[in-house]
Amino acid sequence: MNDNSTPQNLVNNSTAIPNSEIDFKKELVITRIFADANLIAQHKERLSKGLPNITPQMLDFEMVQVVIKDNLFSTAMNEIVTHFNFNLDANFVNQIKADLKKNLSGPQALDDNGVAVIADKIIKKELVFNHLAKLWNITVSDDEVKSMLDVFYQRTNQSIREVLDDKDKFEGIRRAILEEKLILKTIAAFPIRFDLNNPNIKQPEASVS
């Protein structure tokens, strides 16, 4: 699942009802690495703007970290969503899909199926995160938001006054920090290991006893 966020001016009547307890002791195994081209492009653009002096080598390193993190998170979320029954608001889904089509244009454009898959993940992630934030008692204080803005200012020398004076933008930063906290907590919640077999080597078939 990528870092696309839900537009805040839309009314979401979707629900997620837990159907079983999540076993955070369950070991999850990653057998293939997937790289989301749109996710990589978004992060490259964000890093290049936020850190204009970043070197190509450091940018490549950061992209590798993004791919690994995304695979860890997706693996954990794929397990977590099996413990919920979802009822998605059709109107909200259509609004998200329309927004995605508008934003993912040009080289990042997706077909209707790709847009539908991402919309589904975005909505389910928000619903699950609402549950996990309460379960883990994860919040973001005003001081944390201001601290993040201070770091941004120190790195970029760009003014943060506009964000500090705009409640909507300030809350947007809070949501972004909360999401990052939940992503990291979700990844850390499970024991996850990589088992990347060479796809060119035929694996022995399991014997049936």
Side-chain angles (χ1 to χ4, degrees):
M1 294 190 178
N2 59 34
D3 66 344
N4 290 293
S5 59
T6 303
Q8 296 303 310
N9 60 331
L10 303 180
V11 177
N12 184 6
N13 293 316
S14 303
T15 59
I17 307 299
N19 58 38
S20 58
E21 185 176 352
I22 303 170
D23 180 9
F24 290 110
K25 294 181 180 180
K26 179 180 179 180
E27 182 182 63
L28 306 181
V29 181
I30 297 176
T31 58
R32 292 181 62 188
I33 296 291
F34 295 93
D36 186 328
N38 286 322
L39 176 68
I40 293 174
Q42 290 171 9
H43 277 278
K44 272 191 173 182
E45 181 179 3
R46 188 176 299 120
L47 277 175
S48 297
K49 288 182 178 179
L51 300 171
N53 295 323
I54 190 171
T55 65
Q57 293 81 4
M58 183 57 69
L59 189 59
D60 288 341
F61 174 80
E62 290 295 333
M63 291 309 100
V64 171
Q65 301 307 305
V66 165
V67 170
I68 293 174
K69 178 182 174 184
D70 185 54
N71 278 264
L72 290 169
F73 176 66
S74 294
T75 299
M77 281 297 288
N78 286 341
E79 170 63 25
I80 290 174
V81 296
T82 64
H83 296 273
F84 290 85
N85 293 326
F86 294 94
N87 181 18
L88 302 189
D89 179 349
N91 290 330
F92 187 75
V93 171
N94 289 334
Q95 287 178 304
I96 295 296
K97 287 162 64 175
D99 190 71
L100 285 170
K101 288 181 179 180
K102 184 188 304 181
N103 293 326
L104 298 177
S105 57
Q108 298 183 31
L110 297 172
D111 59 20
D112 288 345
N113 182 66
V115 169
V117 169
I118 292 180
D120 182 82
K121 289 182 177 181
I122 289 174
I123 298 171
K124 288 181 178 178
K125 183 180 76 171
E126 180 182 13
L127 294 170
V128 169
F129 272 9
N130 289 340
H131 174 86
L132 294 179
K134 295 176 182 177
L135 176 67
W136 292 328
N137 193 29
I138 295 178
T139 60
V140 177
S141 67
D142 287 355
D143 286 342
E144 287 179 275
V145 178
K146 292 175 182 177
S147 177
M148 177 65 72
L149 290 171
D150 285 340
V151 171
F152 175 79
Y153 172 73
Q154 292 169 13
R155 287 184 176 180
T156 66
N157 203 33
Q158 296 181 29
S159 175
I160 59 175
R161 176 52 53 189
E162 182 181 356
V163 178
L164 290 171
D165 293 341
D166 188 315
K167 182 178 179 180
D168 288 340
K169 291 182 179 179
F170 191 87
E171 290 304 316
I173 299 297
R174 191 196 306 277
R175 287 191 296 270
I177 296 173
L178 177 62
E179 177 169 305
E180 183 63 16
K181 279 187 172 185
L182 286 165
I183 288 173
L184 295 177
K185 176 66 175 179
T186 300
I187 291 173
F190 292 95
I192 305 177
R193 66 180 175 88
F194 289 88
D195 185 9
L196 307 178
N197 295 315
N198 188 331
N200 296 318
I201 299 177
K202 184 177 180 180
Q203 300 299 315
E205 296 182 1
S207 60
V208 179
S209 56

